[in-house]
Amino acid sequence: MAFFAKGKIFAAAALMMLAAATAAQAAQCGNTGAGFEAWKAEFASEASANGVGSKGLAALANATYAKRTIAADRAIHKAFSGSVEAFMKRRGASTIISKGRSLKRSNAALFDKIEGTYGVSPGVLLAIWGMETGFGSSMGNQNTVSAILTLAYDCRRPEFFYPHAIAALKLVDRGALSASSVGAAHGEIGHTQFLPGNVLKYGVGNKNLRDKSTALASTANFLKGHGWRAGGSAQANMGAIAGWNSASVYQQAIARMATAIDGD
């Protein structure tokens, strides 16, 4: 779900890559899987021109049209419907708060280090972690490369997913992903569900977001990069939270849970 709002963060790169693709006669999008193999062949040339190497191109060649990703994409807006209270209840906010408080205590050294480095308090990181994957218990089982390439091919929003598809292939080149890596339906990766382009831009260390410490530090780096002010509450940093997800109910839920976790 993290993808729902992360268009703004990668907008500049998207425009640059889309312009390059347009100039090179960008691969034709499609609304079914019928044209996916032909699209991949065209996209391979664009990917190579954008710096994707042999490992990434091999992953592209082996990618398949992800029907489950398309089904999830068509239903995405339902996930953010209703009031904040209804949304929080659906997503198990009380459990997230309770477990978040416990994890804050048991991982105090980690969260102290992250806050000292990035200025981001534990509560918002724990709220996002709990909301996105149930604290790592459900990071998805959809092939990441196939998912993100399918969305870059799909005619609904190819301009949004195009740069993330290029980024995913570059992450394969660098070893942070493999052709068999799995994640969420829209190609989000790891404990807090980053899109590939954001892994490249905000991921820290080895960029392995299936490692909780790396994922949490990367999330803090993302929030800092979107204006998080050290020492401020979650409510005072709503702009940074909005950078993470543009859905109002999501933002408000994260702020409320973060406040409750930090208030423990």
Side-chain angles (χ1 to χ4, degrees):
M1 264 190 272
F3 94 90
F4 183 78
K6 293 183 181 173
K8 296 178 182 177
I9 35 182
F10 214 45
L15 289 172
M16 291 175 63
M17 288 187 181
L18 188 60
T22 301
Q25 307 252 335
Q28 183 65 44
C29 70
N31 291 313
T32 71
F36 188 58
E37 292 301 316
W39 176 89
K40 286 196 318 182
E42 296 177 30
F43 186 71
S45 297
E46 298 168 19
S48 180
N50 277 287
V52 174
S54 59
K55 290 182 180 179
L57 292 174
L60 166 61
N62 290 321
T64 58
Y65 184 74
K67 293 181 180 178
R68 286 188 298 156
T69 288
I70 293 300
D73 186 61
R74 298 301 184 257
I76 191 63
H77 287 285
K78 294 180 182 178
F80 297 97
S81 63
S83 67
V84 178
E85 291 75 16
F87 178 75
M88 291 179 70
K89 184 176 181 179
R90 275 199 315 271
R91 300 307 303 273
S94 60
T95 299
I96 292 173
I97 292 167
S98 177
K99 189 166 183 179
R101 288 170 172 169
S102 176
L103 287 169
K104 179 183 172 183
R105 291 190 293 269
S106 61
N107 294 273
L110 171 62
F111 286 109
D112 285 347
K113 181 179 180 181
I114 290 174
E115 186 165 14
T117 303
Y118 302 101
V120 178
S121 54
V124 69
L125 300 177
L126 285 155
I128 288 172
W129 188 18
M131 178 75 79
E132 295 292 345
T133 66
F135 303 104
S137 66
S138 181
M139 289 189 274
N141 57 9
Q142 172 67 56
N143 182 277
T144 298
V145 172
S146 291
I148 206 72
L149 287 171
T150 295
L151 290 166
Y153 158 73
D154 186 60
C155 287
R156 185 164 176 246
R157 286 167 300 159
E159 70 286 348
F160 177 86
F161 287 103
Y162 183 98
H164 291 293
I166 296 291
L169 301 180
K170 288 183 176 180
L171 288 170
V172 172
D173 282 331
R174 299 180 187 190
L177 283 178
S178 74
S180 60
S181 292
V182 296
H186 285 83
E188 306 99 325
I189 301 164
H191 280 267
T192 54
Q193 302 287 271
F194 269 62
L195 280 171
N198 300 322
V199 178
L200 279 182
K201 187 170 183 179
Y202 297 103
V204 302
N206 62 6
K207 302 185 187 297
N208 174 18
L209 271 68
R210 294 187 74 87
D211 170 71
K212 75 172 185 181
S213 298
T214 302
L216 291 168
S218 299
T219 305
N221 189 37
F222 180 103
L223 292 171
K224 180 182 179 182
H226 286 78
W228 185 279
R229 292 190 176 186
S233 66
Q235 291 290 344
N237 279 292
M238 290 297 286
I241 296 173
W244 183 264
N245 192 301
S246 64
S248 177
V249 290
Y250 184 105
Q251 296 164 21
Q252 294 177 62
I254 291 296
R256 292 186 191 185
M257 290 188 291
T259 299
I261 293 169
D262 281 335
D264 180 39

